[in-house]
Amino acid sequence: MAKWTPTHEAPEPLEGPVVATITGGTILWFAMFVVQLPFYGWFADHQLLWWLWTCAAGGGLGLIGIWYVRGRDAALKAHAAQEAARAEAGQQAGPSDQAGHGA
């Protein structure tokens, strides 16, 4: 069986307000947990406590997600700043080198 190879390059990933998206989702998970909490007895009677604990787990994992995407966002911004500084240093060195070679 031949290995499948793509015929074109994959598109660039979409970037957006990732931190805000993960934070909003985490807030929703915790809100659903809090809304369901008064009905704990009903969920227990019907063996549906997993609904409650799924929301709690979603909120907890969301906190880990917020920590992760904030670090990722900071790393991307630091990398962009380094690239901008490197490009600026290259532009500043370029005209003085060209002037010295022309004389």
Side-chain angles (χ1 to χ4, degrees):
M1 180 172 217
K3 181 180 176 184
W4 179 80
T5 56
T7 57
H8 55 77
E9 290 187 33
E12 290 292 320
L14 296 175
E15 291 293 332
V18 180
V19 176
T21 303
I22 300 301
T23 302
T26 302
I27 290 169
L28 285 174
W29 279 114
F30 277 127
M32 289 188 299
F33 174 74
V34 170
V35 166
Q36 292 179 33
L37 203 52
F39 304 102
Y40 186 89
W42 185 88
F43 285 117
D45 291 344
H46 292 87
Q47 283 104 25
L48 295 173
L49 280 176
W50 65 270
W51 286 20
L52 189 72
W53 298 119
T54 298
C55 294
L61 291 172
L63 292 175
I64 295 169
I66 291 170
W67 170 76
Y68 180 82
V69 296
R70 286 185 68 200
R72 177 184 179 271
D73 193 44
L76 289 173
K77 287 179 181 176
H79 179 71
Q82 286 176 350
E83 291 296 317
R86 192 174 297 141
E88 185 178 315
Q91 287 177 352
Q92 288 177 353
S96 62
D97 288 343
Q98 290 174 355
H101 292 302

